Amino acid sequence: MLKHEHIVGALATAFTIAQHSPSERRKVGAVVIARDAVENRPHILGWGANGMPTGHQTNCCEIPAPSDYVPYAGDPHAGLATHPDVVHAERRALRQAGDRAKNAIVVCTDTPCPDCMAELNARGISQFYYMFDYRLQGHLADAQFEIIRIEPSEVYSFLSRAAHAFEARLQLQSQFEGDKQ
């Protein structure tokens, strides 16, 4: 079993990956990980962000919402819906992982949609960690794996510590470059 801190770090990675998504409504990132048997640390098998398929005619992930579309509460983009050709983050990550996804762990910024839930079940993952809720929740009862929510504040704290460490590293690099002159 992976340590909690490794799961939080993997969620921070998924959040960072999500920032590469061209989506205006919801940037989602996912990472498929397995436990390294020797060091008991996560090993990344695949990762992805939601977006249009490679080579698609447009990079726009949204279309006007149909009249029967029910947005999530407080959605600032309530007039938009996801383009049907968007490849979800979970699917991109699972495709990269291939057959290695069986019994793996998926960490994702958001809970899966019904279609991704079906694929996660079919791939035989063991656990799914997330921070944010997808607007639909009823299908989560069909999960054939454990679903665990991590508080976003834990990931934020991890990212803040990483930012401080990065700043310290930049200062050391600056000193090193100054000493070379």
Side-chain angles (χ1 to χ4, degrees):
M1 173 165 261
L2 289 173
K3 294 180 181 179
H4 184 77
E5 66 193 50
H6 293 146
I7 298 298
V8 171
L11 267 168
T13 301
F15 182 80
T16 302
I17 290 166
Q19 304 319 301
H20 294 280
S21 169
S23 177
E24 291 180 34
R25 289 182 58 236
R26 197 165 191 114
K27 295 179 181 295
V28 180
V31 180
V32 179
I33 56 176
R35 182 182 61 81
D36 181 289
V38 176
E39 296 183 13
N40 197 31
R41 294 183 183 274
H43 174 75
I44 295 176
L45 304 175
W47 58 273
N50 58 323
M52 298 305 284
T54 303
H56 197 275
Q57 62 196 13
T58 179
N59 201 29
C60 183
C61 295
E62 288 81 19
I63 57 173
S67 59
D68 63 343
Y69 179 77
V70 180
Y72 61 89
D75 184 355
H77 303 286
L80 298 174
T82 301
H83 191 291
D85 293 340
V86 164
V87 180
H88 291 198
E90 302 94 306
R91 287 207 164 140
R92 284 188 194 273
L94 287 168
R95 285 178 189 161
Q96 269 189 11
D99 293 338
R100 299 174 301 165
K102 185 161 182 64
N103 296 316
I105 297 167
V106 174
V107 294
C108 188
T109 53
D110 299 64
T111 52
C113 71
D115 290 339
C116 287
M117 173 65 79
E119 185 164 349
L120 291 163
N121 280 336
R123 293 295 199 102
I125 69 159
S126 62
Q127 294 176 316
F128 186 95
Y129 290 86
Y130 74 99
M131 291 184 287
F132 305 113
D133 292 320
Y134 179 68
R135 64 185 175 83
L136 304 175
Q137 296 289 306
H139 62 286
L140 297 179
D142 298 331
Q144 298 169 5
F145 48 85
E146 188 177 14
I147 300 176
I148 302 147
R149 183 172 188 270
I150 301 294
E151 287 296 323
S153 60
E154 289 186 68
V155 178
Y156 179 81
S157 177
F158 181 95
L159 289 168
S160 294
R161 288 191 312 272
H164 290 301
F166 189 78
E167 288 174 2
R169 191 72 184 265
L170 285 175
Q171 288 177 353
L172 283 173
Q173 180 65 28
S174 178
Q175 289 172 356
F176 174 74
E177 289 172 0
D179 290 346
K180 287 184 0 184
Q181 294 178 3

